[in-house]
Amino acid sequence: MVPMAATMRDVAALAGVSIKTVSRVVNLEPHTRPEVVRRVRSAIAELEWVPNGAARTLRTGRTGVIAVGVPQLRRPYLSMLTEAVVSEVYRRGLQAAVEPTHHRDERLTTLLDARGRVFDGIILIGAVPPDLVATLRPTDAVVLLHHQSTDRVDSVDADAVEAASLVARHLVVMGRSRPALIGVDRTTDGPRAVAEALAAAGIVGDAPRVDHVAGRAEGARAARELLDRAPGTDALLCGSDELALGALAELARSGVAVPDQVAIVGFDNLDDASFSTPSLTTVDPGAARLARSAVDLLVDRLAGTGGDAARRIISPVELVRRESTLGPGLR
Amino acid sequence: MVPMAATMRDVAALAGVSIKTVSRVVNLEPHTRPEVVRRVRSAIAELEWVPNGAARTLRTGRTGVIAVGVPQLRRPYLSMLTEAVVSEVYRRGLQAAVEPTHHRDERLTTLLDARGRVFDGIILIGAVPPDLVATLRPTDAVVLLHHQSTDRVDSVDADAVEAASLVARHLVVMGRSRPALIGVDRTTDGPRAVAEALAAAGIVGDAPRVDHVAGRAEGARAARELLDRAPGTDALLCGSDELALGALAELARSGVAVPDQVAIVGFDNLDDASFSTPSLTTVDPGAARLARSAVDLLVDRLAGTGGDAARRIISPVELVRRESTLGPGLR
DNA sequence: ATGCCTCCTGTGAACGTTAACAACCCGACC
DNA sequence: GGTCGGGTTGTTAACGTTCACAGGAGGCAT
């Protein structure tokens, strides 16, 4: 069984100092002689003492836990991002508690309410209802990851404008001119950014599109619908790799050649994207970097060094060129 | 900002009772008049009082948190299973803390040491080094999920024997007789179970196999190696859908027809498995059920009603028949 | 009336840590 | 030599809850 846990008092007794001195050593406060520090340290080691988190929390009001709210873990991109966030949190000596919200607002509300009691701060991944965001203040220890710009609270997102531009220019280079869009509304300004980027790249007219979808099945459905509606389509721009992979499967099923007839671009750079046939051209949002930025912002808030205004970090993206967008006849 | 939190004392004052009575009401202890209970309840509601977890933990030694150790979140099956476990934990009014261990034993050790301080119990997903398991006792609040049978501590796993039997019989029905194995050593008795099942189904001789792999890239590599080594192979049995999907991609790339030339069977029933071309025949281990069993066992332990011996739950599996194993010429 | 038992309620002391403050030591300065 | 002052240490009281125990009210039998 777990051995009877040692307490600070035991450590103090063994080191021949007062309990407060132990506390000072543990919390790296100044005003302690090196020799005393050494003695306390070895007493701690000998007794295998570990600070009691509950007592510390009770006294300080801090839990050292950061909650990570994520809509679903089983979406590959979300699990990848969540893992990155959790690692980043641990790297800073804090604990992480992952809470899948399943898109239920009440779960989010509960989560936000629990702030300050169960954990110190929250990182929320994905869209959050505006009325919930409206209840937040810039100084709150809350960071929205992959959320549209807001002045209510700190947020981090990938550079959608740059992503759209990279993709649009790549399409033109690869000789495509009649794209269709699937679920590029991951952020509210996604569709606009894509439209502008396409226009800037010289592709005219409104691209047909299907909004609000997620997952492979929906990607497949959307691909079929778009090809029916706009038979001349020569490229599918998808808001996620999952959609793109679903579309890819559907096209293969219905005998449409990719990329010869239709090119496909995804977003997320999932591990899977390099293992489809053909492999998938996609935008890498840089999950590790996004995670780091989000935790950075939150840690600032916890330290009180975040300033009075909501901050926003736009994280750079990268285009990963693969087989699904090779030019027609260039194979 | 978060309003100044109310304490039990405030509730007691408002309800005109002692602080202890409030405690009794909250913890559903007997010996309180219904009228008093009602008064306390409404006082709690009015002040929006929430019990302070830290204080409660300090006093009771219980945290209400269950840690979930998982090698990696970005493996699709693991994220699916983890999500199932977390949901199950929340359903019981407990909190979950997900810790990705990245296969580092030290992380596991830390996790096990933190038991009883940071959280009440642990569910460890996947293999755990035997020397760590050896330090455990049956009454410890630890449950191993997807771990080989052990008498040291409670464990839960899918029925590997049944899975192997289902797959072997299915192969025979589909007219295959020369299978090769990729990474079927997910449990140590996996290979043996598969060999026996194949023999029982009338498939003779040792099947060539590649062990210890994970992920699509390795699946692809293993497939190539096996087809080189054993050209007559007409079926690939894979220890995971990821391996199977990697193998599938590799075969498509090298022009081997699936299932006409080679059938492929996976394990896990990932969402992805139904979206590959051809769609993947696989074994569904029943993640939700596995999760429920694991949490059941752990909750028993926490309540002290788990008995003195390690318990083991073997969870039933199901074969999901899809395109990747259609009989040759049956298309 | 007294005793005792049952049901309910309150009192005080923990749990292990940190914060505020007091106290001490020792050299330096007037 | 006394006082100041900086650096170092200890004392005491919290933080908010639960547990052990004591006690009061009422009913019933003696």
Side-chain angles (χ1 to χ4, degrees):
Chain A
M1 190 101 337
V2 182
M4 187 56 179
T7 151
M8 242 182 178
R9 203 185 314 278
D10 304 332
V11 174
L14 181 58
V17 297
S18 88
I19 183 173
K20 171 69 214 191
T21 300
V22 177
S23 171
R24 260 189 279 261
V25 171
V26 172
N27 296 315
L28 303 175
E29 289 173 35
H31 306 311
T32 24
R33 275 179 326 185
E35 200 268 328
V36 173
V37 173
R38 229 175 309 119
R39 235 167 48 220
V40 171
R41 289 253 165 81
S42 78
I44 289 177
E46 179 165 346
L47 295 175
E48 298 185 349
W49 173 83
V50 188
N52 179 314
R56 181 176 279 179
T57 295
L58 179 58
R59 192 60 247 243
T60 63
R62 286 231 167 165
T63 64
V65 176
I66 288 182
V68 183
V70 58
Q72 283 189 70
L73 276 182
R74 48 193 303 174
R75 293 249 166 269
Y77 176 67
L78 293 181
S79 72
M80 182 169 94
L81 183 59
T82 301
E83 176 163 317
V85 170
V86 171
S87 297
E88 196 57 35
V89 167
Y90 281 120
R91 223 175 49 76
R92 293 205 172 49
L94 298 167
Q95 277 240 317
V98 176
E99 162 105 19
T101 60
H102 292 286
H103 295 288
R104 309 208 40 166
D105 291 355
E106 65 192 72
R107 281 247 171 159
L108 275 180
T109 314
T110 314
L111 210 53
L112 287 169
D113 281 352
R115 189 168 22 120
R117 302 195 148 273
V118 185
F119 41 77
D120 298 338
I122 313 185
I123 294 177
L124 290 179
I125 298 178
V128 176
D131 52 322
L132 272 183
V133 175
T135 65
L136 299 174
R137 304 221 202 151
T139 51
D140 285 351
V142 176
V143 173
L144 306 182
L145 179 48
H146 280 315
H147 191 276
Q148 65 186 104
S149 187
T150 170
D151 60 351
R152 301 298 309 177
V153 70
D154 292 341
S155 62
V156 176
D157 203 356
D159 190 340
V161 173
E162 173 71 2
S165 163
L166 284 171
V167 169
R169 294 196 318 248
H170 178 62
L171 280 189
V172 170
V173 169
M174 290 303 170
R176 314 289 169 157
S177 57
R178 305 187 59 184
L181 317 179
I182 300 179
V184 296
D185 56 337
R186 216 145 78 141
T187 63
T188 48
D189 43 36
R192 195 177 43 76
V194 171
E196 288 175 2
L198 289 177
I203 295 177
V204 289
D206 276 356
R209 67 184 232 227
V210 175
D211 282 348
H212 291 303
V213 290
R216 302 200 184 203
E218 287 93 333
R221 224 183 353 256
R224 182 196 305 271
E225 181 191 332
L226 280 175
L227 292 190
D228 281 355
R229 220 165 78 194
T233 297
D234 62 3
L236 286 179
L237 271 50
C238 307
S240 78
D241 280 1
E242 278 200 281
L243 290 175
L245 292 170
L248 199 60
E250 176 59 26
L251 296 195
R253 227 168 282 146
S254 27
V256 177
V258 177
D260 292 348
Q261 229 170 314
V262 175
I264 300 192
V265 184
F267 193 106
D268 288 342
N269 195 20
L270 297 186
D271 295 343
D272 299 9
S274 52
F275 289 99
S276 58
T277 39
S279 58
L280 188 67
T281 292
T282 186
V283 176
D284 185 348
R289 185 177 196 144
L290 286 168
R292 185 146 36 80
S293 300
V295 178
D296 276 346
L297 288 181
L298 191 54
V299 166
D300 268 5
R301 282 289 165 220
L302 294 178
T305 57
D308 305 326
R311 295 163 299 167
R312 179 162 180 83
I313 293 182
I314 300 289
S315 197
V317 299
E318 215 169 294
L319 181 69
V320 183
R321 296 172 182 78
R322 296 209 188 89
E323 297 163 0
S324 69
T325 52
L326 286 180
L330 295 183
R331 279 237 271 203
Chain B
M1 190 100 339
V2 183
M4 187 55 178
T7 152
M8 242 182 179
R9 204 185 311 280
D10 305 331
V11 174
L14 181 58
V17 296
S18 88
I19 183 174
K20 171 69 215 191
T21 300
V22 176
S23 171
R24 257 189 281 263
V25 170
V26 171
N27 296 316
L28 304 175
E29 290 173 34
H31 305 312
T32 22
R33 273 180 328 187
E35 200 267 328
V36 172
V37 172
R38 229 174 308 120
R39 235 166 50 217
V40 171
R41 289 252 165 82
S42 78
I44 289 177
E46 179 165 348
L47 296 176
E48 298 185 347
W49 174 82
V50 188
N52 179 313
R56 179 176 281 178
T57 295
L58 179 57
R59 193 61 248 245
T60 62
R62 286 234 167 161
T63 63
V65 176
I66 289 181
V68 183
V70 58
Q72 282 189 70
L73 276 183
R74 48 193 306 173
R75 293 251 168 267
Y77 176 66
L78 293 181
S79 71
M80 182 169 94
L81 184 58
T82 302
E83 177 163 317
V85 171
V86 171
S87 297
E88 197 57 33
V89 168
Y90 281 121
R91 222 173 51 74
R92 291 202 173 51
L94 299 168
Q95 278 240 316
V98 176
E99 162 104 19
T101 59
H102 293 284
H103 295 287
R104 310 207 40 165
D105 290 357
E106 66 191 70
R107 282 246 171 160
L108 274 179
T109 314
T110 314
L111 210 53
L112 287 169
D113 282 351
R115 190 169 23 121
R117 302 193 149 272
V118 185
F119 41 77
D120 299 336
I122 312 185
I123 293 177
L124 290 178
I125 297 177
V128 176
D131 52 322
L132 273 182
V133 175
T135 65
L136 298 174
R137 304 221 201 150
T139 51
D140 285 351
V142 176
V143 173
L144 306 181
L145 179 47
H146 279 315
H147 191 278
Q148 65 188 102
S149 187
T150 170
D151 61 350
R152 302 296 312 176
V153 69
D154 292 341
S155 62
V156 176
D157 202 356
D159 189 340
V161 173
E162 172 69 3
S165 163
L166 284 171
V167 169
R169 294 196 317 248
H170 178 62
L171 280 188
V172 170
V173 168
M174 290 302 171
R176 315 287 169 159
S177 57
R178 307 189 58 186
L181 318 179
I182 300 180
V184 296
D185 57 335
R186 217 147 75 142
T187 62
T188 48
D189 41 36
R192 193 178 43 76
V194 171
E196 288 176 3
L198 289 177
I203 296 177
V204 290
D206 275 357
R209 67 183 231 228
V210 176
D211 282 350
H212 290 303
V213 290
R216 302 200 184 203
E218 288 92 333
R221 225 182 353 257
R224 181 194 308 270
E225 181 191 331
L226 280 176
L227 292 191
D228 282 355
R229 220 164 77 194
T233 296
D234 62 3
L236 287 178
L237 271 50
C238 306
S240 77
D241 280 1
E242 280 200 279
L243 290 174
L245 292 170
L248 199 58
E250 175 61 24
L251 296 196
R253 227 169 282 146
S254 29
V256 176
V258 177
D260 292 348
Q261 227 170 317
V262 175
I264 300 192
V265 183
F267 194 106
D268 286 344
N269 195 20
L270 297 186
D271 295 343
D272 299 11
S274 51
F275 289 100
S276 58
T277 38
S279 58
L280 187 68
T281 292
T282 187
V283 176
D284 184 349
R289 184 176 197 142
L290 287 167
R292 184 146 36 82
S293 299
V295 177
D296 276 345
L297 288 182
L298 191 55
V299 167
D300 268 5
R301 282 290 165 221
L302 294 179
T305 57
D308 305 328
R311 296 162 300 168
R312 180 162 179 84
I313 293 182
I314 301 289
S315 197
V317 300
E318 214 169 296
L319 182 69
V320 181
R321 296 172 181 80
R322 296 210 188 90
E323 296 163 0
S324 69
T325 51
L326 285 180
L330 295 184
R331 277 238 271 201

